């Protein structure tokens, strides 16, 4: 019987390396690919907790040699700049707070790489994401589930997957803990078995988003007013891209009580501050919404929703307002719901869909 073929997205980290090994053990003929995504302007991505560095490519190549499968480096810098970096910059400039990992998964791993795999006749693509896929025997629909290990679950950043993509994607680590993954890597003698998890945005390894945006665009982001909810001027901000919703530290103000960023008024170049209790809201709209089943429900549904990556989802009523838009109303007010972030809906451990908060 002819072996099925799998294309492994290899970042150089321990997760994708063990995913490659497990896919090989499952009987697939595998090929590894390192996606070259980012060439910084004079920036060298070298941190142990970053990804996309030259060292990471060497790690991935070492694992491929160890397991004796072919390994390639494919250039996606142009696509990454347009679909991830430029989206990131546009979001900050319009007062939003984006999640570039979601765009990278959507446009690079599960679009550009997926399309290339299809052209090459691969049966599936494989990544080191901690999530699970199965098929409902009654409906025949593919379902995306949370990972077994809640501390590593990455289902939040995978909500854009379609039925076709789920049918041709394999997540070998979804039923494992990170400790089990490292034990396999140790046993196999992988060079990256103890490599720390990547924690930074790969193209902003120092975490200074405003510096990165200013250097990339060559634009100046002028100072403006900090105001309270009544419009009273409280001081001067240092450029609207430097602030995020819910922020308290780093405002540079001496105020009689703690105040937080509630809103960024881009049109008037103002940052609106409020007291803590005014950060809480229940309702919002989301667009560019992907229903994993491929079809929006015909009426409102009661589900659990998550509005940031490291958050326990909470009960909400979700009302479809179009084919790819929804209105969400939480049962209880939530803190600092932020434009540009994702809302992801869950039914138990099953991802129902997600979209961008507006």
């Amino acid at each position: 019987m002819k072996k099925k073929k799998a294309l492994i997205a290899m970042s150089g980290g321990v997760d994708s390396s063990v995913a490659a090994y497990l896919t090989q053990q499952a009987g697939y003929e595998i090929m590894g690919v390192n996606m070259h995504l980012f060439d910084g302007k004079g920036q060298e991505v070298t941190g142990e907790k970053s990804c996309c560095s030259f060292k990471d490519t060497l790690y991935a190549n070492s694992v491929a040699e160890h397991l004796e499968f072919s390994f390639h480096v494919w250039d996606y810098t142009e696509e990454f700049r347009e679909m991830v970096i430029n989206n990131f910059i546009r979001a900050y400039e319009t007062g939003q707070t984006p999640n570039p990992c979601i765009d990278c998964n959507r446009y690079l791993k599960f679009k550009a790489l997926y399309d290339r795999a299809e052209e090459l006749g691969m049966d599936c693509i494989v990544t080191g994401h901690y999530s699970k896929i199965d098929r409902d025997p009654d409906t025949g629909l593919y379902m995306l589930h949370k990972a077994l290990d809640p501390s590593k679950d990455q289902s939040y950043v995978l909500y854009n997957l379609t039925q076709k993509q789920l049918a041709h994607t394999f997540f070998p680590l979804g039923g494992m803990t990170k400790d089990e993954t490292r034990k396999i890597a140790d046993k196999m003698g992988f060079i990256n078995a103890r490599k720390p998890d990547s924690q930074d945005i790969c193209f902003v390894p120092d975490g200074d988003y405003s510096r990165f945006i200013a250097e990339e665009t060559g634009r100046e982001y002028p100072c403006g007013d900090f105001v309270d909810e009544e419009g009273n001027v409280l001081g001067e901000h240092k450029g609207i891209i430097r602030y995020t919703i819910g922020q308290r530290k780093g405002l540079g103000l001496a105020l009689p009580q703690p105040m937080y960023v509630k809103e960024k008024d881009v049109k008037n170049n103002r940052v609106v501050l409020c007291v803590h209790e005014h950060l809480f809201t229940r309702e919002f709209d989301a667009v560019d919404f992907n229903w994993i089943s491929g079809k929006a429900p015909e009426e409102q549904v009661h589900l659990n929703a998550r509005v940031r990556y490291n958050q326990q989802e909470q009960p909400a009523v979700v009302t479809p307002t179009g084919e790819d838009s929804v209105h969400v109303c939480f049962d209880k007010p939530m803190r600092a719901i932020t434009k540009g972030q994702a809302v992801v809906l869950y039914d138990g451990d099953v991802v129902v869909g997600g979209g961008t908060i507006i």
Side-chain angles (χ1 to χ4, degrees):
M1 184 177 178
K2 188 177 180 180
K3 283 188 175 182
K4 288 188 175 182
K5 297 180 179 181
L7 185 67
I8 319 292
M10 300 189 69
S11 66
V14 64
D15 294 330
S16 57
S17 299
V18 172
Y21 167 72
L22 294 174
T23 305
Q24 190 180 61
Q25 290 296 298
Y28 286 83
E29 178 184 334
I30 66 177
M31 180 173 79
V33 171
N34 177 257
M35 302 179 76
H36 180 55
L37 300 176
F38 177 63
D39 283 320
K41 294 181 179 179
Q43 302 177 66
E44 187 177 1
V45 184
T46 57
E48 278 298 311
K49 293 186 178 182
S50 66
C51 63
C52 306
S53 70
F54 179 65
K55 183 186 287 187
D56 292 314
T57 303
L58 295 179
Y59 284 163
N61 185 59
S62 171
V63 171
E65 288 183 347
H66 188 74
L67 296 177
E68 299 182 338
F69 61 83
S70 64
F71 175 78
H72 306 268
V73 179
W74 291 346
D75 181 22
Y76 288 102
T77 53
E78 184 176 338
E79 294 89 341
F80 187 77
R81 177 163 296 281
E82 175 56 34
M83 304 309 300
V84 180
I85 294 178
N86 289 350
N87 281 354
F88 178 85
I89 292 171
R90 280 192 291 267
Y92 266 101
E93 289 183 332
T94 55
Q96 302 178 64
T97 303
N99 188 325
C101 294
I102 290 174
D103 281 344
C104 187
N105 284 325
R106 179 178 184 179
Y107 297 114
L108 275 298
K109 294 184 180 73
F110 298 102
K111 175 55 180 172
L113 189 64
Y114 178 92
D115 289 347
R116 187 77 179 273
E118 193 171 41
E119 290 172 5
L120 293 172
M122 297 287 175
D123 294 287
C124 66
I125 64 168
V126 178
T127 72
H129 285 102
Y130 284 83
S131 188
K132 296 187 290 185
I133 299 169
D134 67 11
R135 195 173 190 182
D136 187 320
D138 297 324
T139 65
L141 293 174
Y142 288 90
M143 297 188 297
L144 178 68
H145 296 259
K146 293 181 186 176
L148 174 71
D149 182 352
S151 69
K152 297 304 299 179
D153 173 53
Q154 292 172 295
S155 61
Y156 177 85
V157 296
L158 297 168
Y159 71 81
N160 275 303
L161 287 170
T162 65
Q163 285 293 304
K164 182 180 178 182
Q165 290 165 337
L166 288 169
H168 298 283
T169 300
F170 180 32
F171 296 140
L173 307 186
M176 298 171 57
T177 65
K178 185 62 179 243
D179 187 55
E180 289 171 330
T181 299
R182 290 203 185 278
K183 285 180 179 178
I184 292 173
D186 276 329
K187 180 181 178 181
M188 294 304 300
F190 291 165
I191 189 173
N192 53 8
R194 292 290 136 187
K195 183 178 183 293
D197 291 345
S198 59
Q199 296 180 347
D200 307 309
I201 294 176
C202 63
F203 54 91
V204 195
D206 64 359
D208 191 344
Y209 305 148
S210 59
R211 175 202 55 77
F212 172 82
I213 293 169
E215 289 182 358
E216 283 292 308
T217 64
R219 292 192 280 271
E220 293 186 6
Y221 297 91
C223 299
D225 291 332
F226 281 119
V227 298
D228 63 19
E229 293 173 278
E230 286 72 45
N232 300 307
V233 176
L234 303 174
E236 184 179 76
H237 69 67
K238 296 179 180 179
I240 207 161
I241 64 170
R242 299 179 183 274
Y243 305 95
T244 57
I245 306 303
Q247 178 179 341
R248 179 175 72 86
K249 295 181 179 179
L251 301 181
L253 297 174
L255 299 169
Q257 61 182 327
M259 298 193 77
Y260 301 77
V261 175
K262 179 180 182 179
E263 180 185 351
K264 294 190 285 185
D265 178 359
V266 176
K267 181 179 179 181
N268 297 301
N269 193 28
R270 303 190 308 177
V271 176
V272 181
L273 305 182
C274 68
V275 295
H276 187 255
E277 54 264 33
H278 289 185
L279 285 176
F280 289 80
T281 53
R282 291 179 60 200
E283 300 186 49
F284 62 91
D285 293 303
V287 296
D288 198 19
F289 200 92
N290 178 58
W291 296 95
I292 286 182
S293 68
K295 185 179 180 181
E298 295 181 357
E299 55 188 22
Q300 66 179 205
V301 287
H302 293 258
L303 295 165
N304 292 322
R306 188 190 301 181
V307 292
R308 54 181 53 87
Y309 185 84
N310 292 314
Q311 179 198 51
Q312 180 63 43
E313 55 270 13
Q314 298 295 324
V317 175
V318 181
T319 306
T321 54
E323 289 186 5
D324 63 350
S325 61
V326 298
H327 180 79
V328 179
C329 181
F330 280 108
D331 289 3
K332 297 180 180 179
M334 301 294 294
R335 183 186 186 277
I337 297 173
T338 303
K339 295 177 184 177
Q341 290 284 290
V343 56
V344 181
L345 306 180
Y346 293 84
D347 184 1
D349 77 335
V350 175
V351 182
V352 177
T356 303
I357 296 167
I358 60 168

